């Protein structure tokens, strides 16, 4: 195992911060921009990058990520292409990368071959949006063999038994869905989020990153007080969609991401 | 032998529960409530009562004498699901699931619809039980099934157009799953076919199995033996699963599912999953899927909105691989011919979906002996398609 994810959490903790985990969709607005955007996010203070693999039928995503996937697919982005982008990023960066993907592209690629190629490309972790722990055995086994982490999701609706089942397969962290629903910006955080995160951390015996709907620096600051990491996605993806492939795109995204990254400091 | 499906909802290598974590709890809740309701005599009695006094069951089997004569081969029998209240078999499942929704204390139901028949059925059952109802429908399907859109509204349902992807059934399911995951506490998702995560494929098949259990008794009494062949169209596959389930154990009965051949054999021109697809995961289940080499779901085409879907129920995939059921394709043109044929010879205007099954019968019955019998599941009536057929044939109404 590369240990890049583990190191990122340790570094953030030492700096009295929650890890900042931005999300973008690979290939959006064009594949040629993905590595540039990843470097911009790194400069802005990203500890881990969550990189979305576009899929035609993203049932866990709201309109923002759906449209980003459509843009990326229109540009010919495939899973093979995304692995190529990660390989390219690795020439210039050690930023840990977690692929955020639906199962079918990986199923079509072949799970075992995907695991080997993902590890070789420099992928650190894989999160499947539509593979709950009951179905995760084969993926966990394939990824474990090559030293890539499986990142599992937990939700406010997860039972204690499920949290414990996740514990057996989880790597450096679990991803806690901040509210029931799809991805996308939200005005308010759920009531009781802090208690849920504390409980999950205790039962799963794992670090907890919180995402889904986190869209303002104030929300990031609040979550950073009790979570090990904060995922910020839709607000960045929305901005990428508004701007499109313009020269100022990386600069704009870096500035926006920085406003979130600074909010991860625990005061 | 292992039970099918197993406790995780697998039919051999097909099925399962490939959904976001947030949906696992409501799926467990649904599975428990459904299992409990099956053991509850009061529930079973209430459902049977509604099927009889509200839906109009049992539906008869008609002997299609003029069609039989015209084809000059096997005797053709029609299981008349078109005579169900709302005009298709979809009401069997809609009433069952809405009854279950009420039992679970849900006040709102949502549904996807392609041809609009499932949407109408759910809107109907929701009105019957006083549940709020929202139906998602691709905007391309809203256009070709405008009559059903208005019917749903008349029944008090809210119809939401889905303007994403191919704007058809697949996209309506995406949107329904998103709604469900956001409104779990109040809402039950009434999935309309033998698709989706466990327990939907087995639960919907069971609600539809009334078709097959009636048909088995009826054909035995009317024809004095089992049919040689049972034919049904397969979109997601609920009407086919409903009628096949009773005949699967009778190995001497040949079972054929008819997929939409669309306008050609190239990927994107049809919805024939077994002819052009491969195993994949969509909408929570592993089954045959029309996809490209990157695992992206490809667009489908069929003249019939109800068959225009890139995946198929996992139990059909299991039946396909175990060769218990054969799957064939019928193209748009042949289905339209059968639409006219049945209308003119039997006075029954079939749904365009159903017309695919009739077309296959027209293909094979002439090659069979007059002592042989073919049973077709006449899954729905074609009133909803009249305007679209007229448009396709250049007839101004």
């Amino acid at each position: 195992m590369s240990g890049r994810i583990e190191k990122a959490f340790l570094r953030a903790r030492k700096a009295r911060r929650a890890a900042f985990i931005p999300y973008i969709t690979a290939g959006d607005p064009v594949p040629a921009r993905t590595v540039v955007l990843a470097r911009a996010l790194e400069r802005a203070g990203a500890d881990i990058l969550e990189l979305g693999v576009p899929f035609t039928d993203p049932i866990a995503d709201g309109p923002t990520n759906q449209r980003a996937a459509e843009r990326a697919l229109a540009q010919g982005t495939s899973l093979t292409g995304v692995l190529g982008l990660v390989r390219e990023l690795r020439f210039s960066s050690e930023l840990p990368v977690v692929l955020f993907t639906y199962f079918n592209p990986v199923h079509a690629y072949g799970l075992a071959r995907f695991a080997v190629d993902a590890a070789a490309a420099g992928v650190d972790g894989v999160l499947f949006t539509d593979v709950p722990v009951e179905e995760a055995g084969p993926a966990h086994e394939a990824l474990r063999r090559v030293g890539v982490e499986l990142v599992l999701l937990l939700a406010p609706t997860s039972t204690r038994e499920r949290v414990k089942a996740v514990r057996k397969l989880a790597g450096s962290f679990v991803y806690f869905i901040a509210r029931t629903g799809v991805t996308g910006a939200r005005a308010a955080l759920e009531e009781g989020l802090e208690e849920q995160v504390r409980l999950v951390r205790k039962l799963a015996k794992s670090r907890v990153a919180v995402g889904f709907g986190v869209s303002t620096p104030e929300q990031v600051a609040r979550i950073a007080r009790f979570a090990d990491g904060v995922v910020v996605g839709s607000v960045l993806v929305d901005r990428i969609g508004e701007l499109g492939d313009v020269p100022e795109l990386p600069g704009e995204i870096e500035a926006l991401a920085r406003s979130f990254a600074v909010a991860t400091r625990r005061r | 032998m292992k039970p099918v499906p197993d406790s995780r909802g697998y039919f051999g290598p097909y099925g399962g529960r490939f959904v976001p974590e947030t949906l696992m709890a409501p799926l467990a809740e649904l599975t428990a409530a459904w299992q409990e309701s099956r053991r509850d005599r009061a529930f079973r009695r209430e459902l049977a009562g509604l099927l009889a006094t509200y839906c109009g069951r049992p539906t008869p089997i008609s002997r299609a004498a003029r069609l039989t004569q015209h084809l000059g081969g096997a005797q053709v029998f029609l299981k008349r699901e078109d005579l169900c209240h709302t005009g298709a078999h979809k009401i069997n499942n809609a009433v069952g699931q809405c009854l279950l929704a009420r039992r679970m204390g849900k006040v709102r139901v949502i549904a996807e619809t392609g041809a609009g028949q499932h949407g109408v059925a759910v809107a109907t059952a929701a009105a019957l039980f006083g549940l709020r109802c929202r139906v998602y429908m691709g905007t391309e399907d809203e256009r070709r099934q405008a009559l059903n859109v208005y019917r749903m509204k008349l029944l008090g349902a809210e119809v939401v157009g889905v303007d994403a992807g191919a704007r058809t059934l697949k996209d309506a399911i995406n949107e329904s799953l998103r709604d469900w995951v956001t409104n779990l506490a109040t809402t039950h998702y009434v999935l309309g076919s033998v698709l989706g995560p466990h327990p939907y494929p087995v639960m919907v098949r069971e609600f539809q199995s009334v078709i097959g259990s009636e048909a088995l008794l009826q054909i035995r009494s009317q024809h004095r033996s089992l049919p040689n062949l049972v034919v049904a169209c397969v979109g997601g596959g609920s009407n086919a699963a409903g009628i096949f389930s009773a005949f699967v154990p009778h190995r001497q009965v040949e079972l054929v599912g008819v997929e939409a051949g669309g306008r050609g054999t190239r990927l994107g021109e049809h919805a024939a999953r077994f002819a052009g697809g491969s195993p994949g995961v969509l909408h929570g289940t592993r089954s045959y899927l029309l996809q490209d080499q990157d695992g992206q779901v490809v667009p489908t085409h069929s003249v019939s909105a109800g068959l225009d879907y890139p995946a198929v129920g996992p139990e059909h995939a299991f039946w396909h691989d175990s060769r218990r059921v054969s799957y064939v394709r019928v193209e748009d043109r042949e289905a339209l011919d059968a639409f006219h044929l049945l209308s003119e010879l039997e006075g029954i205007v079939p749904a365009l979906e159903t017309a695919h099954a009739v077309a296959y019968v027209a293909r094979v019955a002439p090659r069979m002996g007059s002592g042989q019998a073919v049973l077709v599941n006449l899954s729905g009536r074609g009133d909803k398609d009249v305007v679209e057929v007229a448009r396709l044939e250049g007839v101004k109404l």
Side-chain angles (χ1 to χ4, degrees):
Chain A
M1 194 169 288
S2 69
R4 276 188 290 253
I5 295 177
E6 187 72 27
K7 278 182 214 148
F9 275 109
L10 290 172
R11 197 170 51 238
R13 189 190 154 92
K14 213 169 154 192
R16 305 173 66 80
R17 289 188 296 113
F20 174 51
I21 311 175
Y23 166 94
I24 57 171
T25 300
D28 173 34
V30 293
R33 286 291 196 167
T34 298
V35 171
V36 179
L37 283 170
R39 296 303 310 274
L41 292 169
E42 190 176 12
R43 282 194 300 277
D47 294 293
I48 296 167
L49 174 66
E50 233 184 59
L51 192 59
V53 177
F55 182 53
T56 41
D57 295 270
I59 56 170
D61 286 295
T64 295
N65 284 356
Q66 223 180 317
R67 281 194 287 269
E70 282 172 14
R71 292 192 293 268
L73 289 171
Q75 296 293 325
T77 310
S78 64
L79 180 55
T80 310
V82 176
L83 294 180
L85 293 172
V86 176
R87 202 175 305 120
E88 197 185 323
L89 176 69
R90 283 286 166 258
F91 287 129
S92 57
S93 168
E94 287 295 305
L95 179 65
V97 173
V98 173
L99 293 185
F100 182 100
T101 186
Y102 288 82
F103 188 51
N104 200 54
V106 171
H107 185 273
Y109 195 100
L111 193 53
R113 185 166 78 95
F114 163 75
V116 170
D117 291 358
V123 169
D124 299 282
V126 180
L127 180 160
F128 294 100
T129 50
D130 54 354
V131 179
V133 66
E134 287 83 348
E135 305 284 358
H140 177 259
E141 181 55 27
L143 293 171
R144 190 192 57 79
R145 281 165 192 262
V146 295
V148 173
E149 281 191 28
L150 177 67
V151 179
L152 287 157
L153 291 144
L154 285 167
T157 54
S158 302
T159 57
R160 278 169 180 261
E161 291 68 37
R162 300 186 51 76
V163 176
K164 287 177 187 162
V166 160
R167 177 167 95 193
K168 297 199 180 83
L169 301 187
S172 309
F173 73 110
V174 297
Y175 186 128
F176 188 76
I177 296 168
R179 58 171 292 164
T180 55
V182 292
T183 60
R186 301 289 198 298
L189 290 177
E190 290 281 277
E191 292 285 317
L193 179 62
E194 179 169 355
E195 291 69 31
Q196 287 168 349
V197 169
R198 289 192 196 287
L199 184 65
V200 165
R201 192 194 283 111
K202 202 174 103 192
L203 292 175
K205 295 205 187 345
S206 173
R207 293 191 190 90
V208 179
V210 174
F212 271 48
V214 182
S215 50
T216 67
E218 292 71 33
Q219 291 172 343
V220 170
R222 242 192 74 198
I223 293 169
R225 288 206 295 261
F226 54 82
D228 303 282
V230 188
V231 183
V232 175
S234 296
V235 63
L236 300 173
V237 175
D238 265 333
R239 192 77 185 117
I240 292 170
E242 281 162 22
L243 289 166
D245 186 17
V246 293
E248 48 281 26
L249 177 69
E252 289 274 339
I253 295 303
E254 183 179 336
L256 180 60
R258 184 166 287 123
S259 69
F260 288 96
V262 297
T264 57
R265 258 178 232 129
R266 300 197 179 102
R267 273 158 289 219
Chain B
M1 230 173 90
K2 278 196 235 166
V4 175
D6 68 14
S7 61
R8 292 166 61 218
Y10 274 92
F11 304 84
Y14 303 109
R17 257 183 198 165
F18 293 88
V19 293
E21 172 64 22
T22 315
L23 285 181
M24 291 305 284
L27 286 171
E29 178 195 355
L30 175 61
T31 307
W34 172 61
Q35 296 285 12
E36 212 183 87
S37 74
R38 298 168 76 205
R39 289 189 295 267
D40 179 352
R41 267 175 78 183
F43 181 90
R44 292 204 311 263
R45 199 179 305 127
E46 186 171 10
L47 179 58
L50 285 167
L51 290 177
T53 63
Y54 185 75
C55 303
R57 301 208 73 88
T59 59
I61 280 185
S62 306
R63 190 169 164 264
R66 293 192 67 220
L67 180 65
T68 298
Q69 191 184 20
H70 172 84
L71 297 174
Q75 293 183 56
V76 181
F77 293 88
L78 310 171
K79 175 62 176 165
R80 301 291 306 279
E81 291 302 297
D82 61 313
L83 294 178
C84 283
H85 179 42
T86 72
H89 70 291
K90 293 291 187 189
I91 193 76
N92 304 328
N93 171 53
V95 165
Q97 283 199 47
C98 284
L99 205 56
L100 196 54
R102 198 186 61 184
R103 186 186 172 93
M104 289 189 291
K106 308 291 182 186
V107 295
R108 176 176 179 264
V109 288
I110 55 169
E112 83 294 343
T113 198
Q117 289 304 102
H118 174 58
V120 166
V122 175
T124 299
L128 179 66
F129 296 123
L131 301 165
R132 279 189 290 136
C133 176
R134 176 185 272 190
V135 179
Y136 291 97
M137 189 170 190
T139 49
E140 166 61 13
D141 289 341
E142 282 189 308
R143 183 195 64 71
R144 42 184 180 174
Q145 305 285 347
L147 180 69
N148 272 344
V149 175
Y150 188 56
R151 278 174 85 193
M152 289 184 267
K153 289 179 181 166
L154 284 175
L155 292 160
E158 179 191 1
V159 181
V160 177
V162 180
D163 202 20
R167 299 172 176 80
T168 57
L169 181 57
K170 157 179 95 77
D171 310 287
I173 296 181
N174 290 341
E175 218 47 50
S176 302
L177 287 166
R178 291 182 186 119
D179 181 313
W180 196 29
V181 81
T182 311
N183 300 294
L184 296 168
T186 58
T187 302
H188 171 62
Y189 175 20
V190 185
L191 220 162
S193 195
V194 287
L195 296 168
H198 179 62
Y200 284 105
V202 56
M203 179 176 72
V204 175
R205 183 250 279 155
E206 197 164 289
F207 283 135
Q208 292 294 1
S209 65
V210 64
I211 305 172
S213 38
E214 283 175 12
L216 187 70
L217 295 175
Q218 290 165 324
I219 195 82
R220 269 181 167 153
S221 98
Q222 284 175 241
H223 177 62
R224 303 195 187 287
S225 78
L226 287 173
N228 300 82
L229 172 65
V230 179
V231 181
C233 64
V234 181
S238 72
N239 91 78
I243 195 160
F244 289 167
S245 57
F247 293 95
V248 161
H250 301 274
R251 310 290 305 186
Q252 71 273 35
V253 180
E254 186 187 348
L255 305 175
V256 173
V258 184
E259 297 187 282
R263 54 180 164 236
T265 53
R266 281 203 311 249
L267 207 57
E269 292 184 332
H270 61 82
R273 291 67 46 106
F274 292 114
S278 53
V281 173
L282 181 69
H283 294 148
T285 193
R286 182 171 189 276
S287 185
Y288 277 74
L289 176 64
L290 289 165
Q291 55 186 328
D292 66 16
Q293 58 182 18
D294 296 322
Q296 303 294 341
V297 180
V298 300
T300 50
H301 166 79
S302 170
V303 68
S304 133
L307 303 184
D308 200 353
Y309 180 71
V312 63
E315 190 163 23
H316 286 287
F318 176 72
W319 284 332
H320 170 268
D321 285 12
S322 62
R323 300 182 182 214
R324 180 62 192 96
V325 181
S326 342
Y327 294 84
V328 299
R329 48 196 296 285
V330 158
E331 294 198 357
D332 287 353
R333 179 161 301 279
E334 222 180 330
L336 284 165
D337 289 346
F339 179 84
H340 286 287
L341 190 70
L342 196 72
S343 302
E344 288 164 24
L345 291 179
E346 295 294 337
I348 298 169
V349 180
L352 279 175
E353 292 75 19
T354 314
H356 285 72
V358 176
Y360 178 73
V361 171
R363 213 193 271 174
V364 299
R367 302 201 295 259
M368 296 169 70
S370 60
Q372 296 190 294
V374 179
L375 174 63
V376 191
N377 194 14
L378 209 80
S379 53
R381 67 176 188 228
D383 307 43
K384 68 181 178 64
D385 295 312
V386 168
V387 174
E388 178 68 359
V389 170
R391 189 189 69 84
L392 288 168
E393 295 179 346
V395 178
K396 248 193 138 93
L397 296 177

